[in-house]
Amino acid sequence: MAAAAQAATGSVVSARIDTAALIDNARTVAARVAPAQLMAVVKADAYGHSTDIVAPALYAAGLRDFAVATVPEAVALSQLLGPDSGARILCWLFDPAADLTVCTRAGIELGISTPEALEAAIAAGRATGRSQDVHLKLDTGLGRNGLSLSQLDTVLERLRALAAESSIAAGAQATTGTPTIGTATAGTARTAGTAATGTIGTAGPPTSAPVRVTGIMTHFANADIPGDPATADQLHRFDSLYGRLQAELPSDLRADDLRVTLANSPAALSLDPVPGSHVRAGVILYGLSPFENRTAAQLGLTPVMTLTSRVLNVKDVPAGQGASYGLTYRAAHDTRFALVAGGYGDGLPRIAGNRGEVTVRGRRYPIVGRIAMDQMVLDIGPAETGGEVAIGDEVVVIGDGTTGPSAEEWAAWCETINYEIVTCISPRVDRIAVGAPGEAAAGEAANGAHPAADHTRGGGR
Ligand SMILES: *Cc1c(COP(=O)(O)O)cnc(C)c1O
């Protein structure tokens, strides 16, 4: 198919994904959290930005630690990056009744939040004759997933039993090295985190154990409210559990380069020092603020996604003309309506009708009436006093606040958070990689299927 024909068949609503901004954000975050390192969270199709674009771009920039939520996401990412990539992929939300051998074979790490999940990991290790790598996920106060105290007791007991079995099976092969976690003076998670340098590369001890603990993690409830006492409570609880694990985790069953991860995006930007060996950061990589009262720009971040559409109709309408289903808006005077492609079928919440705005030729216009599945209406004012808007004009639906409304503005109109706005942009919308040298032009002509794989491969960014 010719390039022009391909462009014509792409979706009218499309998301430009700026990989240069992505890499800049990742570097900004990495500098902020050092000596902790960055683990990039690319779940939910990289928060709607396309894992196919985002993950190879981060990988090309040198990133090796990735996290997703589900096993299918982890498997897809593993296949995308390839078997010899050296990337480490962690996922933490799965059904313990599922067959996890696909993870063991691909070297995908599993976050363990229940004794049942540990059993599933052990079963996968046994079935493959390999060792399934696991991160123990501790509930330190979020009250969502993660091991409770009694669940942790069960898990530790199971690991001790397993270590005893394994050392019998393996004879005198047990490691004699000093595990990273057992630093002599480590009394807090902070100490442990900052001490965990040089975490890349060492393979675990030879072991016949079906599981190996390669990480310990917890997740904050209120890190988006800097100074909230719940975060200090969680850090405190993590410290004491971490001390317990130092004492009780069988040394044969843990990696030397144990990774300790606590911080999500808001914690990575607000805690000083940043706890843990790595931060699990998602939303800030995409240039979005995790704080209600701080903009991305104030945090030194650049939004990665620009969602654009086009004006498909412009017409004069008389005073009293209603707009869209329900006729919930009526023109106060003679005016013009512009029709823009894009609706809730593209992930733009219906609730933003009669609230939101979009930008055409640098000027904001109100979305009037209900947002439909596929389209929305703007009141662009009468020809004499309104803006110049023509059929075919580009519309910036989501921009950086200047180019077009920010994801944060959309979140306010929709009574939600910026995370949900970008993550819910639907699969109907093509994601087009731009940003690396030569990508912009290629991106224009791409059909949006999987442009990133091509664009990022030779980028060397
Ligand atoms: C989604 C998620 C993250 C990333 O959160 P951000 O606020 O986007 O950085 C980290 N850890 C866990 C367990 C998560 O579910």
Side-chain angles (χ1 to χ4, degrees):
M1 201 187 284
Q6 284 184 351
T9 57
S11 65
V12 177
V13 184
S14 70
R16 286 202 293 264
I17 305 302
D18 183 345
T19 55
L22 172 76
I23 301 310
D24 278 354
N25 294 335
R27 294 207 169 116
T28 300
V29 174
R32 165 70 179 80
V33 304
Q37 295 176 46
L38 176 59
M39 177 187 286
V41 181
V42 296
K43 62 189 178 183
D45 204 21
Y47 293 46
H49 291 66
S50 171
T51 306
D52 288 353
I53 295 174
V54 165
L58 289 172
Y59 182 86
L63 199 105
R64 292 295 177 270
D65 282 278
F66 295 88
V68 291
T70 70
V71 168
E73 288 176 339
V75 170
L77 179 57
S78 170
Q79 285 167 354
L80 178 69
L81 296 177
D84 304 321
S85 69
R88 289 177 295 206
I89 300 170
L90 168 68
C91 69
W92 49 67
L93 202 78
F94 53 92
D95 179 352
D99 176 3
L100 298 173
T101 54
V102 63
C103 295
T104 324
R105 290 203 177 87
I108 292 163
E109 300 177 295
L110 296 170
I112 299 297
S113 289
T114 61
E116 288 78 4
L118 179 63
E119 290 310 322
I122 292 168
R126 291 214 159 117
T128 54
R130 302 186 195 188
S131 196
Q132 170 63 51
D133 290 345
V134 299
H135 290 220
L136 300 184
K137 189 163 194 261
L138 311 176
D139 183 357
T140 55
L142 176 61
R144 201 177 67 175
N145 213 354
L147 297 159
S148 69
L149 280 180
S150 75
Q151 288 175 317
L152 179 60
D153 287 341
T154 308
V155 160
L156 281 173
E157 204 175 304
R158 184 70 170 106
L159 289 174
R160 276 193 296 267
L162 210 55
E165 285 172 34
S166 305
S167 66
I168 292 163
Q173 272 200 353
T175 179
T176 52
T178 307
T180 312
I181 190 173
T183 50
T185 55
T188 69
R190 290 190 169 109
T191 314
T194 49
T197 52
T199 52
I200 291 177
T202 52
T207 173
S208 57
V211 290
R212 184 174 70 133
V213 178
T214 52
I216 300 177
M217 61 192 287
T218 194
H219 196 39
F220 291 117
N222 286 5
D224 58 323
I225 309 163
D228 191 285
T231 304
D233 281 356
Q234 287 195 261
L235 274 169
H236 186 74
R237 255 177 242 141
F238 187 85
D239 279 359
S240 72
L241 289 174
Y242 187 77
R244 219 188 123 189
L245 287 169
Q246 280 184 312
E248 297 184 29
L249 207 54
S251 58
D252 304 8
L253 258 58
R254 67 183 174 206
D256 291 341
D257 57 345
L258 197 78
R259 278 165 295 149
V260 180
T261 66
L262 298 88
N264 55 0
S265 288
L269 295 190
S270 63
L271 293 182
D272 197 8
V274 177
S277 67
H278 290 66
V279 301
R280 300 186 312 272
V283 84
I284 50 181
L285 300 181
Y286 310 107
L288 303 177
S289 171
F291 305 111
E292 187 157 16
N293 51 10
R294 312 266 317 262
T295 65
Q298 286 169 337
L299 298 170
L301 303 172
T302 308
V304 170
M305 179 192 292
T306 303
L307 190 79
T308 65
S309 180
R310 295 216 176 262
V311 174
L312 299 185
N313 199 348
V314 175
K315 59 179 141 189
D316 296 316
V317 297
Q321 173 68 55
S324 190
Y325 295 126
L327 305 175
T328 58
Y329 173 89
R330 290 201 181 263
H333 42 70
D334 292 357
T335 186
R336 292 171 304 163
F337 282 176
L339 183 82
V340 173
Y344 60 82
D346 302 286
L348 298 169
R350 186 170 175 272
I351 194 177
N354 289 322
R355 294 183 178 190
E357 300 171 342
V358 296
T359 299
V360 188
R361 299 196 193 196
R363 189 167 154 175
R364 295 277 185 110
Y365 295 99
I367 302 166
V368 296
R370 288 190 187 142
I371 292 177
M373 187 181 291
D374 317 304
Q375 44 195 299
M376 63 178 99
V377 178
L378 315 179
D379 186 340
I380 58 173
E384 315 83 68
T385 58
E388 246 183 82
V389 174
I391 292 175
D393 279 358
E394 183 179 84
V395 179
V396 181
V397 180
I398 303 176
D400 63 8
T402 303
T403 55
S406 63
E408 287 76 21
E409 285 175 82
W410 272 91
W413 297 328
C414 301
E415 299 169 33
T416 183
I417 53 175
N418 48 9
Y419 291 70
E420 187 177 358
I421 295 297
V422 290
T423 302
C424 288
I425 299 302
S426 82
R428 181 163 80 176
V429 176
D430 291 345
R431 272 69 169 176
I432 298 175
V434 299
E439 277 183 358
E444 293 293 329
N447 67 3
H450 291 301
D454 293 328
H455 298 162
T456 52
R457 197 168 288 138
R461 297 182 57 81

